[in-house]
């Protein structure tokens, strides 16, 4: 079924720390702390005899993070100690009962209502908060509290606090009715469907949007699988490169050829797998992919062979 209406609740959500009470579907307090973070860069160098030397470089800088960064795992914790805990943490609250008309929204649908606005924090009792946190508190802008000496020059352990609210708003839903609530329904193709969009949208618009998102996700996963295939074939061919590295000039040739082979094998297998998966629903596209895989592989092999066999022209010296 399709319905559209005002998603609303009679509940008031309370942020006890900030002393704010709002009639809301969701109240999200975000707290970030200024901390040290470690970055690692690894460089691999091929050595004579086929072995490899890996060198790791560690750098440290300070950043805002919503979660506590444990410096005990740092390679060099000396001089990069973070506070052991956060005086205040982020918090997300949801109303227990949200309805659209006569229907009670399940949590899965309620949490899809994400259009929010920042809460003005100018009325927060900063002196009370200062006593609780034992640090100065200032309003860096109407929507952010800064806990520390100077927001322009943050120090380790300083905090930034913001608050966002999801208020009652119009939503459009496609789901299956079960009594006075809603649940996902199983489509003829077998997949489950339960959609929510904020605002007034027709069922056709919602289905079109869902299909577009699914298509984007599918292609994203396909390209990830292509990368994994190429990477996998490159790892399979790595022993050949290591053996060839015994002779430096031979190692560079084999490394170049193995990269080409990994790309060719990975792409060909990916095209074949995609063609097989599409054969039942898109036979013409499936056959086209097989042709592309075969012809493309042949052309690339010929180009590689021609390039390798071309004589090197030497410039005469007087």
């Amino acid at each position: 079924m399709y319905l559209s209406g005002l998603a609303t609740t009679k509940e008031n959500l309370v942020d006890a720390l900030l002393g704010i009470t709002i009639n809301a579907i969701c109240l999200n307090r975000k707290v970030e702390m200024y901390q040290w973070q470690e970055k690692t860069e690894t460089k691999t160098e091929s050595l004579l005899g086929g072995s490899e030397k890996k060198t790791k470089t560690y750098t440290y800088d300070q950043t805002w993070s919503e979660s506590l960064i444990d410096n005990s795992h740092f390679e060099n914790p000396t001089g990069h100690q973070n506070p052991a805990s956060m005086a205040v943490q982020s918090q997300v609250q949801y109303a227990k009962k949200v309805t659209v008309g006569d229907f009670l929204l399940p949590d899965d649908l309620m949490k899809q209502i994400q259009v929010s606005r920042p809460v003005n924090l100018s009325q927060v009792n900063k002196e009370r908060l200062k006593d609780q946190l034992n640090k100065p508190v200032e309003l860096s802008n109407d929507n952010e509290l800064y806990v520390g000496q100077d927001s322009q020059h943050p120090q380790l352990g300083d905090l930034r606090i913001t608050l966002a609210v999801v208020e009652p708003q119009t939503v459009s839903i496609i789901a299956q009715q079960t009594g006075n609530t809603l649940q996902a329904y199983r489509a003829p193709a077998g997949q489950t469907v339960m959609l929510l969009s904020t605002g007034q949208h027709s069922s056709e618009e919602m289905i079109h949007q869902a299909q577009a998102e699914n298509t984007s996700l599918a292609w994203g996963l396909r390209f990830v699988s292509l990368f994994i295939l190429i990477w996998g074939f490159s790892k399979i061919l790595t022993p050949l490169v290591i053996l060839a590295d015994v002779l430096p000039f031979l190692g560079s040739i084999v490394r170049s050829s193995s990269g080409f082979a990994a790309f060719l094998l990975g792409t060909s297998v990916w095209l074949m797998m995609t063609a097989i998966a599409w054969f039942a629903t898109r036979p013409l596209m499936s056959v086209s992919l097989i042709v592309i895989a075969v012809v493309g592989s042949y052309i690339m092999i010929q180009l590689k062979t021609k390039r390798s066999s071309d004589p090197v022209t030497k410039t005469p010296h007087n």
Side-chain angles (χ1 to χ4, degrees), residues 31-193:
V31 181
E32 297 173 292
M33 185 166 70
Y34 202 59
Q35 307 173 69
W36 284 106
Q37 69 172 355
E38 179 184 74
K39 294 181 180 179
T40 306
E41 182 181 358
T42 303
K43 292 183 179 180
T44 303
E45 179 184 358
S46 297
L47 302 177
L48 186 64
S51 61
E52 291 182 341
K53 178 183 178 182
K54 291 186 177 181
T55 304
K56 290 186 177 182
T57 304
Y58 300 91
T59 57
Y60 300 87
D61 57 12
Q62 293 179 329
T63 186
W64 290 100
S65 174
E66 195 172 353
S67 58
L68 184 67
I69 300 175
D70 185 0
N71 61 266
S72 65
H73 299 297
F74 288 175
E75 180 69 17
N76 181 20
T78 304
H80 306 115
Q81 285 87 8
N82 286 325
S85 62
M86 295 179 66
V88 183
Q89 295 183 339
S90 297
Q91 180 186 66
V92 180
Q93 301 179 62
Y94 289 97
K96 295 180 180 178
K97 185 177 180 181
V98 178
T99 59
V100 176
D102 295 329
F103 295 101
L104 177 66
L105 292 189
D107 288 348
D108 288 346
L109 282 178
M110 178 182 64
K111 291 180 180 180
Q112 291 183 44
I113 308 174
Q114 297 179 349
V115 176
S116 63
R117 68 167 180 84
V119 177
N120 189 308
L121 301 179
S122 60
Q123 301 303 315
V124 172
N125 188 331
K126 293 182 284 295
E127 288 301 318
R128 183 178 67 86
L129 194 57
K130 175 183 176 181
D131 293 339
Q132 284 183 271
L133 302 179
N134 197 29
K135 267 191 173 185
V137 178
E138 65 177 74
L139 191 68
S140 57
N141 60 61
D142 286 344
N143 305 321
E144 181 181 282
L145 290 172
Y146 189 87
V147 182
Q149 294 291 341
D150 185 357
S151 60
Q152 300 302 314
H153 302 89
Q155 300 297 314
L156 200 67
D158 285 359
L159 302 173
R160 296 191 306 197
I161 303 175
T162 57
L163 193 66
V165 59
V166 176
E167 296 176 308
Q169 56 194 273
T170 299
V171 297
S172 301
I173 299 172
I174 295 178
Q176 178 177 318
Q177 177 183 351
T178 304
N180 70 335
T181 188
L182 303 169
Q183 67 176 23
Y185 77 92
R186 187 170 295 278
Q191 71 272 30
T192 57
V193 178

